[in-house]
């Protein structure tokens, strides 16, 4: 989006005075709306809207063979796509590049190592038969509409979709002594294992605009932001990672501490709101299922 | 596999000449000039329109009419089981070209010289009839953007299974590889804008299937028109015009 110097100066002065063009303070989010179970074909899915930004995440559980490095663990595969509808008007392969960038950022948030060890999800719970078969969660995200704060919205939707995921129960019947086990899946959707997502963090992008620090910049505000730091924070306010955004302006080391502190204060607040909405949505779904 | 039961019902419970439930929503995306969601059964397609505005690349602008651009993408989770290959395939390029062709004949391009209209299509779930759903979604988004058109364009598919023409095939029915025809129609002008048949068939069969698809187009056009009118009425009420 193109902005004149005067427009940018206007926005920047607003931030200095603690006021934004839509009436928010510097540390306020736009309304965050989360809805679960959006896609009937997925094991779990969620849609998240933050103002004009809209993302959709689907989780599909597939039975595969575990890797040799981690025979007792399942896996997670992440992919983010940017829809041409998103309004970014990227030329050529720009959407694929942005998708890859967002995928990496989300991977860093959800998986700490390549095989997921030490991450926020207990991957050993996804194991079916050690060294033979395990569940792999394919997390596919789609950015439908981009109006700033896309990565934060993606991490919120990913957490909600993982909380919505139902993994069918598996009965292992030992066929012979060589250990070629046969798997029998339970089709009943009410009998399904759920993931423990309590420790899954969300990403909070803290941006510098002039001298002020702000969260949830919309597309216009993002155009006049300086440095931006993507911070992963869990429900207890613990840091789970921090990355400077690619193409971000340089940052003074002294402001780093301040930005991390802000993310640690705001992250748990965002997560409480998210947990409330997940709880509400799940309760509505279980009522619908009983009827 | 039996596609039509002795009682005359298809696998999803429809009659042979019955459309799936259609649903149209407008203004579903915020950062574009017009957007729509078109749903036929499980098939779900978003469309967003940007424009009319100055052409991105000046050399591409046409001095006597508008330039129509079309982008198409399907979500990784849009098909049921296996994960599809990412990126632009030949099929998605063709689909974008088909939609662009239908829109070029529908939009009054000569009223918008040197301008560009960009239509972006995103498939969320593909359960058969994707081409038709894309054209319908694009038409609704163009209408939502307030771009002048000659007539509405409505598309519908039909197929031939068990020696019987069937309207609006779903994925399971289309996967048999029999004849499937996709037709787009200007219902008021009574002009066929697009016809695509991708299997060997006798002239009689093709004619029967195409006739059925054309009837489907008219029914879809009716539903789309009704949804558009309802949307405009609610907009007018919100602005206090009525």
């Amino acid at each position: 989006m193109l902005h004149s110097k005067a427009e940018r100066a206007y926005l920047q002065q607003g931030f200095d005075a603690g006021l934004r063009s839509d009436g928010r303070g510097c540390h306020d989010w736009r309304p965050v709306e989360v809805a679960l179970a959006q896609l009937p074909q997925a094991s779990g899915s969620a849609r998240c809207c933050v103002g004009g930004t809209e993302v959709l995440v689907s989780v599909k559980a597939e039975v595969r063979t575990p890797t040799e490095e981690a025979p007792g663990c399942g896996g997670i595969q992440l992919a983010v796509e940017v829809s041409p509808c998103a309004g970014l008007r990227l030329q050529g392969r720009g959407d694929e590049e942005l998708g890859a960038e967002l995928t990496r950022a989300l991977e860093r948030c959800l998986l700490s190592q390549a095989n997921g060890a030490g991450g926020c999800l207990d991957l050993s719970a996804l194991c079916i038969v050690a060294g033979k078969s395990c569940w792999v969660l394919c997390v596919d995200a789609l950015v439908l509409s981009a109006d700033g704060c896309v990565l934060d919205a993606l991490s919120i939707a990913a957490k909600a979709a993982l909380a919505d995921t139902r993994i069918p129960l598996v009965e292992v019947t030992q066929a012979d002594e060589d250990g070629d086990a046969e798997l029998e899946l339970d089709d009943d959707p009410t009998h399904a294992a759920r993931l423990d997502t309590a420790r899954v963090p969300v990403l909070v992008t803290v941006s510098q605009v002039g001298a002020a620090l702000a969260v949830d910049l919309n597309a216009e505000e993002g155009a006049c932001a300086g440095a931006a730091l993507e911070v992963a924070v869990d429900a207890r306010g613990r840091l789970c990672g921090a990355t400077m955004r690619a193409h971000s302006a340089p940052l003074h080391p002294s402001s780093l501490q301040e930005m991390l502190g802000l993310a640690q204060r705001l992250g748990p607040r965002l997560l409480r709101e998210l947990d409330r909405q997940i709880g509400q949505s799940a309760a509505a779904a279980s009522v619908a299922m009983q009827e | 596999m039996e596609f039509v039961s002795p009682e005359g019902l298809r696998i999803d419970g429809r009659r042979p000449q019955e459309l799936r439930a259609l649903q149209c929503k407008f203004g579903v995306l915020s950062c574009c000039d017009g957007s729509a969601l078109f749903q036929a059964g499980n098939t779900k397609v978003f469309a967003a329109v940007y424009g009319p505005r100055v052409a991105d690349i000046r050399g591409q602008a046409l001095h006597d009419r508008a330039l129509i651009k079309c982008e198409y993408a399907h979500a990784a989770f849009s098909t049921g089981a296996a994960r599809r290959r990412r990126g632009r395939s030949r099929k998605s390029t063709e689909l974008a070209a088909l939609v662009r062709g239908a829109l070029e004949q529908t939009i009054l391009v000569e009223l918008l010289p040197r301008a560009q209209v960009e239509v972006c299509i995103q498939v969320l779930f593909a359960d058969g009839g994707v081409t038709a759903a894309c054209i319908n979604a694009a038409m609704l988004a163009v209408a939502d953007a307030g771009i002048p058109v000659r007539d509405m364009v409505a598309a519908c598919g039909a197929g031939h299974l068990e020696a019987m023409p069937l309207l609006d095939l779903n994925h399971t029915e289309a996967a048999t590889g029999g004849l499937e025809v996709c037709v787009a129609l200007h219902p008021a002008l009574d002009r066929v804008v697009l016809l695509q048949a991708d299997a060997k068939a006798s002239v009689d069969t093709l004619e029967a299937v195409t006739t059925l698809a054309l009837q489907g187009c008219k029914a879809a056009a009716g539903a789309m028109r009704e949804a558009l009118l309802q949307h405009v009425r609610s907009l007018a009420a919100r602005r206090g015009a009525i």
Side-chain angles (χ1 to χ4, degrees):
Chain A
M1 222 184 283
L2 292 170
H3 291 283
S4 67
K5 262 187 185 163
E7 272 176 300
R8 280 198 224 183
Y10 174 77
L11 283 172
Q12 227 153 36
Q13 282 165 9
F15 276 99
D16 290 340
L19 260 179
R20 291 159 79 167
S21 50
D22 50 4
R24 287 182 288 155
C26 288
H27 302 168
D28 295 337
W29 262 277
R30 289 170 286 180
V32 176
E33 279 169 45
V34 179
L36 301 186
Q38 296 292 302
L39 302 164
Q41 74 270 26
S43 319
S45 60
R47 200 187 66 201
C48 173
C49 299
V50 182
T53 296
E54 185 173 346
V55 300
L56 196 61
V57 172
S58 115
V59 179
K60 253 182 217 171
E62 289 176 10
V63 178
R64 292 196 199 159
T65 321
T67 55
E68 281 179 18
E69 298 90 64
C73 283
I76 300 182
Q77 256 189 7
L78 277 167
V80 181
E81 286 180 333
V82 181
S83 163
C85 296
L88 293 168
R89 305 172 52 74
L90 300 160
Q91 302 292 334
R93 300 204 162 260
D95 50 348
E96 283 171 32
E97 267 170 40
L98 180 64
E101 213 173 275
L102 292 169
T103 306
R104 276 300 297 148
L106 204 59
E107 265 177 3
R108 276 195 299 269
C109 169
L110 293 177
L111 324 164
S112 23
Q113 285 169 30
N115 61 0
C120 52
L121 284 169
D122 179 17
L123 292 187
S124 57
L126 296 175
C127 176
I128 303 169
V129 181
K132 295 277 180 208
S133 53
C134 67
W135 288 106
V136 173
L137 303 177
C138 299
V139 181
D140 287 304
L142 178 69
V143 180
L144 273 176
S145 173
D147 185 16
C149 203
V150 174
L151 189 57
D152 300 22
L154 278 171
S155 76
I156 294 171
K159 175 161 176 149
L162 287 171
D164 181 49
T165 300
R166 289 175 170 77
I167 298 173
L169 296 181
V170 185
E171 212 173 296
V172 183
T173 46
Q174 208 75 31
D176 48 46
E177 288 192 348
D178 306 338
D180 275 350
E182 268 184 35
L183 305 178
E184 212 168 291
L185 297 190
D186 194 339
D187 296 338
D188 189 353
T190 52
H191 290 168
R194 308 298 285 262
L195 296 163
D196 178 20
T197 54
R199 289 191 297 134
V200 176
V202 284
L203 280 165
V204 177
T205 306
V206 182
S207 309
Q208 269 184 335
V209 189
L213 294 184
V215 293
D216 186 18
L217 271 60
N218 63 27
E220 278 178 348
E221 293 167 342
C224 58
L229 193 67
E230 297 155 355
V231 190
V233 185
D234 74 359
R236 289 201 217 153
R238 287 180 300 197
L239 277 182
C240 303
T243 314
M244 252 173 94
R245 172 176 291 171
H247 330 298
S248 152
L251 184 69
H252 195 271
S254 65
S255 45
L256 188 65
Q257 206 59 41
E258 207 184 327
M259 290 168 103
L260 291 175
L262 179 65
Q264 278 179 297
R265 273 208 315 283
L266 295 179
R269 213 193 293 170
L270 183 64
L271 275 164
R272 271 198 295 279
E273 168 65 15
L274 174 61
D275 283 340
R276 192 184 64 79
Q277 292 204 21
I278 291 177
Q280 252 178 14
S281 196
S286 71
V287 168
M289 203 180 262
Q290 275 167 12
E291 280 170 0
Chain B
M1 195 169 167
E2 189 184 52
F3 288 99
V4 183
S5 70
E7 293 83 34
L9 294 176
R10 286 152 71 175
I11 35 183
D12 52 5
R14 284 183 290 158
R15 298 274 168 195
Q17 310 197 339
E18 193 177 334
L19 282 174
R20 288 177 284 182
L22 303 182
Q23 216 185 343
C24 314
K25 281 186 195 160
F26 301 91
V28 285
L29 300 170
S30 55
C31 44
C32 50
D33 297 305
S35 63
L37 171 72
F38 182 83
Q39 216 173 334
N42 288 327
T43 299
K44 202 171 180 183
V45 179
F46 271 109
V49 170
Y50 297 89
R53 60 170 153 209
V54 182
D56 286 337
I57 303 166
R58 217 180 251 197
Q60 287 184 346
L62 305 167
H63 68 93
D64 58 342
R65 59 197 179 90
L67 172 73
I68 312 281
K69 281 188 168 180
C70 189
E71 287 259 0
Y72 165 90
H74 54 254
F77 46 77
S78 62
T79 47
R83 286 154 72 80
R84 262 210 233 171
R85 201 163 58 85
R86 279 170 207 294
R88 297 183 182 88
S89 63
R90 222 175 286 163
K91 212 171 170 187
S92 60
T93 311
E94 190 211 5
L95 234 162
L98 281 179
V99 176
R100 199 186 73 218
L103 288 180
E104 271 171 350
Q105 299 182 58
T106 307
I107 294 173
L108 286 165
V109 279
E110 58 276 16
L111 290 186
L112 308 160
R114 291 180 297 282
Q116 167 186 318
V117 176
E118 190 172 0
V119 181
C120 303
I121 293 165
Q122 173 75 51
V123 175
L124 280 195
F125 194 53
D127 184 21
V130 174
T131 314
C134 286
I135 292 173
N136 292 344
M139 174 63 223
L140 295 172
V142 162
D144 188 45
I147 293 170
V149 290
R150 235 173 281 282
D151 187 9
M152 174 164 243
V153 60
C156 187
H160 195 79
L161 284 176
E162 294 182 355
M164 194 188 284
L166 300 182
L167 191 63
D168 193 14
L169 300 189
N170 65 25
H171 178 72
T172 326
E173 290 167 336
T176 52
L179 172 69
E180 193 185 2
V181 173
C182 178
V183 182
L185 178 77
H186 281 168
L189 300 172
D190 209 17
R191 292 195 309 194
V192 175
V193 184
L194 176 146
L195 186 138
Q196 196 184 34
D198 44 11
K200 234 191 297 188
S202 72
V203 178
D204 295 342
T205 319
L206 187 65
E207 200 183 333
V209 173
T210 312
T211 316
L212 182 61
L214 284 171
Q215 283 170 0
C217 288
K218 283 178 189 152
M224 285 159 63
R225 193 181 175 77
E226 189 51 45
L228 262 170
L229 281 172
Q230 214 170 16
H231 174 64
V232 170
R233 263 187 229 118
S234 79
L235 275 184
R238 256 186 271 166
R239 289 185 189 167
I242 44 171

